[in-house]
Amino acid sequence: MAAAAAAPVWSVDPRTGKRREQVAVEATAATVDAAVRAAHAAGDALADRGVRAAFLRRAADLLDGAADRITAAADAETALGPGRLTGELARTTYQLRAFADVVEEGAFLDVLIDHADPALTPPRPDLRRCKIPLGVVAVYAASNFPLAFSVPGGDTASALAAGCPVVVKAHPGHPATSELSAALLRRAAAELGLPEGVVGLVHGFDAGIELVRHPLVAAAGFTGSVRGGRALYDAAAARPHPIPFHGELGSLNPVVVTEAAATERAEQIGTGLAGSMTLGTGQFCVKPGLVLAPHGPAGDRLARSLADAVRTTEAGVLLDHRMRDAFVDGVRERAALPDVEAPVAPGADGEHTVSAGFLTVPAARLAEPGGPHDLLLEECFGPVTVLARYADDTEAGAVLARLPGNLTATLQLGAAESAGEDAPPGPAGNGTGRGARLLAALTPLAGRVLVNGWPTGVAVAPAQHHGGPYPATTSTATSVGGTAIERWLRPVVYQDTPPALLPPELREDNPLALPRRIDGRREG
Amino acid sequence: MAAAAAAPVWSVDPRTGKRREQVAVEATAATVDAAVRAAHAAGDALADRGVRAAFLRRAADLLDGAADRITAAADAETALGPGRLTGELARTTYQLRAFADVVEEGAFLDVLIDHADPALTPPRPDLRRCKIPLGVVAVYAASNFPLAFSVPGGDTASALAAGCPVVVKAHPGHPATSELSAALLRRAAAELGLPEGVVGLVHGFDAGIELVRHPLVAAAGFTGSVRGGRALYDAAAARPHPIPFHGELGSLNPVVVTEAAATERAEQIGTGLAGSMTLGTGQFCVKPGLVLAPHGPAGDRLARSLADAVRTTEAGVLLDHRMRDAFVDGVRERAALPDVEAPVAPGADGEHTVSAGFLTVPAARLAEPGGPHDLLLEECFGPVTVLARYADDTEAGAVLARLPGNLTATLQLGAAESAGEDAPPGPAGNGTGRGARLLAALTPLAGRVLVNGWPTGVAVAPAQHHGGPYPATTSTATSVGGTAIERWLRPVVYQDTPPALLPPELREDNPLALPRRIDGRREG
């Protein structure tokens, strides 16, 4: 055949900008189709929950066993550093095992049983509901987490836990790490007797579009930019049969520092903020990108402390040169806005590194709709934050009212505000002070609300919620935590189905000992 | 002001095609905006769960108290008949009260608490998650349920239960019933001290588009046609900030009759099918629209029995003349296809009524992709069904493999098949006979699977699921049953939040006695 040569996929060292090796070729439409069909054919093999749990645990073991190779590969093409990557791998394998626990417990099946009631008008039939896997899940890997939000990450782990095979679209920033991770997942599958097609991997921008349009793809998970995520969301919605698209796109992660907090803890807050916004060279989706701090001496102390800490932060290497260019251009454009100052100027520092910094702006500027300062309400990926100085609660509130949706929102309160002691409690024992008021104001803005902490560091835990109003995420779901599995399931109810035909999950005698609700009440 | 006169909204009698009265005017963009803003402003008033439950119960009482007026109004503009409408009102008020129970129990808040664990690497913060209302919900009322899927129906009840104010876009087929119902809901609101804006009502096609595009509308529920629903779904997805659109669009509701079932119960099945497909003059979204019945004498008996029953069914009035035209054209187009016969021809009967009927086709015709017979795989609203005669399991399976998504799928089995006695059980006690195989084949096609029953009649019950793969619904959610409330909520997690500031739902001492999961395990 005289087909055009397939485009090569290179692993690139961001510390030098040099190509390291050719890892793969970009997937053609035919390759994507083959991967999706192989995944679809592997679906039945995931029907057994015990097999799924064992698969997830074996995958975690194999990844842990290859830790040195994985972190070396990931560091070479992301420059995130061995320390961070070792931690990220531990997080990733912990997450795989946590989903194995979720699968085994079975609460996610959400079993509801209503017994027939002939006395009702009209008579009620016997209804037995549980959740079933949607089918092949497309996973779009993130640039900034080559493991935890990529091939072996939360989307893959939760989809496999749900019983859905996956096809991952690798991020171009770490193709070698992606291939290595996928090979380990496939080896785990093979060891469990599962078809290797249960985890597919494709490279290339066009392949990503093909994937979300493929008729056998039933849902998608995405972590990345607003632009890329929105394009894929639109493609998912425009299909003849639209599919759920769970995308995490962008987040400003506002922080509100009260006057009392600044008065009591200016230096602690300034240093903490510097640590959070520069962590991982500012490449976290939960980086605090906008900080409302009071005018006046306490706020000035905070700004000085932030400046001192940021100034001494080492220059870092961003994930790739495209991001570096976007960061340098983004901070330059923001710094050039009227009334914006840069006490510590972020930007290019040498050929491959960037230095951290921050901008200041009067909060009043952000309260004006439609002006050029709206740019400061958009995420800027990299080690920069914006300190918006406000005059009073009204001005701070006006800025909050203009914010887009976020993954997180953070409050820094004074001690009395934290304890609710700055105002008498309301009639229902509810707080009426500034802390309660601000918490209520921040809740509509985000999926996670923190008090007196920093948003970086997203704990993998059953109650975690990593999502928020658009553009933080394109759905109300989470991509981290036990409930992330809900994204890949749909309910089905069996009506008046003879006991001999019922799946074991729904049998009256509950042979799998699943948690259930019977006739509207939790059993046991 | 010299604005153009607003377009009148007429209540029309489908039995005569005559206008009864002018009920309202179509909403302008400004009217829609005012309704949405009033609803948004009313949101805080719904924060208390006790108030919501009381509101839902009071609304049910007022609707029951006005039963005569409501059923008279609805009958005059839908021709559904007082008996059916009395039943529908009872279903509607039962549903309102059922959601009041759901609100009070509080399990829908899905409270998850993970305590801080400093021993973990990295240390885990304190995380407390629950669900909060999304905001203003747009409800698009259905033609065929002027109460249960319209102004006081399941979307409205579940949204209010979730704490979301609603703006309903009335269906043009029953504007007077819509106004009357909305007035009663608003009276209930006023009696509870809630702003009347908590339930808004707008009329007009353009108003419906304005509504789904309004920046303060946070989610939408829809019951209607594939064409209308898809247009609104597309508008919801194309917003600058896309919103969840829970639409129920169209469903064929396939039925598979095995050879054994036909042999044992041909007459019972034929009569049952006739009753189900002609119920409400075939205007149910769960009407069985395609029936796979075997070739041969048993299938012939079934067809004869169906013909006898359908032939004696009285002619009926469809909801409006647009639907009547669509039905008459739809059956004519289908009946003209090669190899399609009409043992009892459905179609026009007099000026305002239609007669029920059914078509037959060899199943092999439906297994051919892309041919003209694909039309038979599309829903045809009204009293018609298609009997597809199959030669063997392979041919029936080939048709099932081509079906779009459905709300329901139904099996009619023989006694031994129902009991799983036609084949020895598998190693895990699972069925291996035809019943189990067909159940597994139907499950991917629908949200509700029935055995030896008929899909019409959707029980309002905690475990109900009324939804299914596209185009049955545009999401994985249900619009009937206790879990319908999940559509209007999103999770939020509070991290390391001082006890004094926590909402009572998340306090350690659980003052509201909510069901919770603590550290990944159900409490109590």
Side-chain angles (χ1 to χ4, degrees):
Chain A
M1 291 205 301
V9 173
W10 295 93
S11 175
V12 175
D13 181 350
R15 293 184 175 97
T16 63
K18 297 273 195 311
R19 287 174 175 174
R20 297 173 56 242
E21 55 171 336
Q22 183 184 338
V23 171
V25 293
E26 292 191 356
T28 61
T31 319
V32 172
D33 181 61
V36 173
R37 286 182 189 283
H40 187 256
D44 285 348
L46 289 174
D48 186 274
R49 288 189 294 128
V51 169
R52 267 136 67 187
F55 172 33
L56 293 168
R57 294 210 174 91
R58 185 62 191 145
D61 290 346
L62 290 178
L63 287 159
D64 279 338
D68 290 349
R69 279 163 64 209
I70 294 172
T71 52
D75 183 53
E77 57 187 5
T78 67
L80 286 171
R84 146 74 194 272
L85 289 163
T86 299
E88 187 181 327
L89 179 60
R91 171 197 182 86
T92 304
T93 57
Y94 177 84
Q95 186 162 254
L96 285 160
R97 293 184 182 105
F99 277 116
D101 294 345
V102 167
V103 175
E104 278 178 344
E105 191 217 6
F108 75 97
L109 294 170
D110 216 353
V111 174
L112 306 178
I113 294 177
D114 295 336
H115 291 111
D117 188 345
L120 286 176
T121 310
R124 186 168 82 184
D126 180 88
L127 294 168
R128 291 164 188 268
R129 189 197 88 138
C130 68
K131 290 193 177 171
I132 60 173
L134 281 177
V136 178
V137 169
V139 172
Y140 293 84
S143 63
N144 57 343
F145 280 91
L147 303 168
F149 288 83
S150 289
V151 177
D155 286 349
T156 299
S158 57
L160 293 171
C164 297
V166 301
V167 177
V168 185
K169 190 271 181 186
H171 192 276
H174 38 72
T177 312
S178 300
E179 285 286 345
L180 177 54
S181 306
L184 292 164
L185 291 178
R186 288 205 203 99
R187 195 199 296 170
E191 288 183 16
L192 269 293
L194 294 167
E196 296 197 355
V198 78
V199 177
L201 180 66
V202 297
H203 299 268
F205 179 84
D206 292 343
I209 300 285
E210 290 286 340
L211 189 58
V212 81
R213 290 183 178 155
H214 196 291
L216 288 176
V217 167
F222 171 93
T223 310
S225 69
V226 172
R227 201 170 131 187
R230 183 62 194 249
L232 289 167
Y233 171 88
D234 289 344
R239 291 165 50 111
H241 292 198
I243 56 171
F245 185 85
H246 300 288
E248 181 202 319
L249 311 193
S251 181
L252 201 58
N253 304 300
V255 178
V256 178
V257 183
T258 66
E259 175 74 33
T263 302
E264 294 169 24
R265 301 186 283 121
E267 289 70 25
Q268 187 197 341
I269 293 170
T271 313
L273 172 58
S276 183
M277 61 152 281
T278 62
L279 193 70
T281 321
Q283 300 172 110
F284 285 111
C285 39
V286 290
K287 178 200 75 175
L290 178 72
V291 182
L292 284 159
H295 277 304
D300 291 345
R301 279 167 49 211
L302 193 165
R304 273 197 303 277
S305 150
L306 175 63
D308 291 345
V310 169
R311 204 175 280 122
T312 58
T313 303
E314 264 186 70
V317 177
L318 293 184
L319 288 157
D320 63 37
H321 279 234
R322 204 168 48 94
M323 289 195 193
R324 186 176 185 277
D325 292 346
F327 173 70
V328 171
D329 294 348
V331 294
R332 185 188 300 128
E333 206 183 340
R334 284 165 174 78
L337 292 167
D339 289 340
V340 170
E341 292 176 16
V344 180
D349 173 277
E351 198 181 344
H352 300 293
T353 52
V354 297
S355 55
F358 71 101
L359 309 175
T360 61
V361 66
R365 282 294 204 175
L366 301 181
E368 301 157 8
H373 292 81
D374 278 5
L375 183 61
L376 297 175
L377 304 183
E378 292 176 23
E379 182 180 13
C380 184
F381 205 67
V384 62
T385 196
V386 175
L387 204 61
R389 304 290 298 272
Y390 66 87
D392 52 29
D393 285 359
T394 308
E395 203 170 87
V399 175
L400 292 181
R402 298 206 58 237
L403 295 188
N406 294 277
L407 293 166
T408 71
T410 302
L411 267 183
Q412 299 289 347
L413 299 174
E417 290 165 347
S418 296
E421 288 163 359
D422 57 332
N430 54 313
T432 63
R434 183 173 277 112
R437 284 204 311 275
L438 282 170
L439 205 71
L442 289 191
T443 297
L445 297 179
R448 180 162 57 107
V449 180
L450 302 89
V451 179
N452 299 338
W454 297 104
T456 41
V458 183
V460 176
Q464 185 58 279
H465 187 76
H466 187 63
Y470 188 90
T473 43
T474 58
S475 76
T476 57
T478 180
S479 61
V480 180
T483 58
I485 194 171
E486 293 175 4
R487 296 175 294 170
W488 321 121
L489 301 158
R490 72 171 174 92
V492 62
V493 65
Y494 293 91
Q495 178 171 329
D496 287 339
T497 298
L501 306 185
L502 280 173
E505 287 80 0
L506 296 175
R507 282 187 205 147
E508 192 66 17
D509 60 349
N510 200 9
L512 307 178
L514 294 168
R516 315 190 289 188
R517 283 175 71 94
I518 310 272
D519 298 326
R521 289 201 162 65
R522 181 143 309 267
E523 192 179 32
Chain B
M1 293 205 300
V9 172
W10 295 93
S11 175
V12 176
D13 181 350
R15 293 184 175 98
T16 63
K18 298 272 194 315
R19 287 175 174 172
R20 297 174 58 242
E21 56 173 333
Q22 183 184 338
V23 172
V25 293
E26 293 192 357
T28 60
T31 320
V32 172
D33 181 62
V36 173
R37 287 183 188 283
H40 188 257
D44 285 348
L46 289 175
D48 185 274
R49 288 189 295 127
V51 169
R52 266 136 69 187
F55 172 33
L56 293 168
R57 292 210 175 93
R58 186 63 192 144
D61 290 346
L62 290 177
L63 287 159
D64 279 339
D68 291 348
R69 279 164 63 209
I70 294 172
T71 52
D75 183 52
E77 56 188 3
T78 68
L80 286 171
R84 147 72 194 274
L85 289 163
T86 299
E88 188 181 328
L89 180 60
R91 171 198 182 86
T92 304
T93 56
Y94 177 84
Q95 186 163 252
L96 286 160
R97 295 185 182 104
F99 277 115
D101 295 343
V102 167
V103 175
E104 278 178 345
E105 192 217 6
F108 75 97
L109 294 170
D110 216 354
V111 174
L112 306 178
I113 294 177
D114 295 335
H115 291 111
D117 188 345
L120 285 176
T121 312
R124 186 168 83 185
D126 181 87
L127 294 169
R128 291 165 188 268
R129 188 197 89 137
C130 68
K131 290 193 176 170
I132 60 172
L134 281 176
V136 179
V137 169
V139 172
Y140 293 83
S143 62
N144 57 342
F145 280 91
L147 304 168
F149 289 83
S150 289
V151 176
D155 286 348
T156 298
S158 57
L160 293 172
C164 297
V166 301
V167 178
V168 185
K169 189 270 179 187
H171 192 276
H174 36 74
T177 312
S178 300
E179 286 286 345
L180 177 54
S181 306
L184 291 164
L185 291 178
R186 288 204 203 98
R187 194 199 299 169
E191 288 182 15
L192 270 293
L194 295 167
E196 296 198 354
V198 78
V199 177
L201 179 66
V202 297
H203 298 268
F205 179 85
D206 292 342
I209 300 285
E210 289 287 341
L211 188 58
V212 80
R213 289 185 179 152
H214 196 289
L216 287 177
V217 167
F222 171 94
T223 310
S225 68
V226 172
R227 202 170 130 188
R230 183 62 194 250
L232 289 167
Y233 171 88
D234 288 344
R239 291 165 52 111
H241 291 200
I243 57 172
F245 184 86
H246 300 287
E248 182 201 319
L249 311 193
S251 181
L252 201 56
N253 304 300
V255 179
V256 178
V257 183
T258 66
E259 175 72 33
T263 302
E264 295 169 24
R265 301 186 283 120
E267 289 70 26
Q268 188 197 341
I269 293 170
T271 314
L273 172 58
S276 183
M277 61 154 280
T278 62
L279 194 69
T281 320
Q283 299 172 110
F284 286 111
C285 40
V286 290
K287 177 199 76 176
L290 178 72
V291 182
L292 283 160
H295 276 304
D300 291 345
R301 279 167 50 212
L302 191 165
R304 272 196 304 275
S305 149
L306 175 63
D308 291 345
V310 169
R311 204 175 280 124
T312 59
T313 303
E314 264 187 71
V317 177
L318 294 184
L319 289 156
D320 62 37
H321 279 235
R322 205 167 46 94
M323 291 198 191
R324 186 175 185 278
D325 293 346
F327 173 71
V328 171
D329 294 348
V331 296
R332 186 189 298 128
E333 205 183 341
R334 284 165 173 81
L337 291 168
D339 291 340
V340 171
E341 293 176 15
V344 181
D349 173 277
E351 199 182 344
H352 301 291
T353 52
V354 298
S355 55
F358 71 102
L359 308 175
T360 62
V361 66
R365 283 296 204 173
L366 302 181
E368 301 157 8
H373 292 80
D374 278 5
L375 182 62
L376 299 174
L377 304 183
E378 292 176 23
E379 181 180 14
C380 184
F381 205 68
V384 62
T385 195
V386 175
L387 204 62
R389 305 290 297 271
Y390 66 87
D392 52 29
D393 285 359
T394 308
E395 203 169 89
V399 175
L400 292 181
R402 298 206 56 238
L403 295 188
N406 294 277
L407 293 166
T408 71
T410 301
L411 267 183
Q412 298 289 347
L413 299 174
E417 291 164 346
S418 296
E421 289 164 358
D422 57 331
N430 55 313
T432 62
R434 181 172 281 111
R437 285 203 312 275
L438 282 170
L439 204 71
L442 289 191
T443 297
L445 297 180
R448 180 163 56 109
V449 181
L450 303 89
V451 179
N452 298 338
W454 298 104
T456 41
V458 183
V460 176
Q464 185 58 279
H465 187 77
H466 188 62
Y470 188 92
T473 43
T474 59
S475 75
T476 57
T478 180
S479 60
V480 181
T483 58
I485 195 173
E486 294 175 4
R487 296 175 294 170
W488 320 121
L489 301 159
R490 71 171 175 93
V492 63
V493 64
Y494 294 91
Q495 177 171 330
D496 287 340
T497 298
L501 306 185
L502 280 173
E505 288 80 1
L506 296 176
R507 283 187 206 147
E508 190 67 16
D509 61 349
N510 200 9
L512 307 178
L514 294 169
R516 314 191 290 188
R517 283 174 71 93
I518 309 272
D519 298 327
R521 288 201 164 64
R522 182 145 304 272
E523 193 179 32

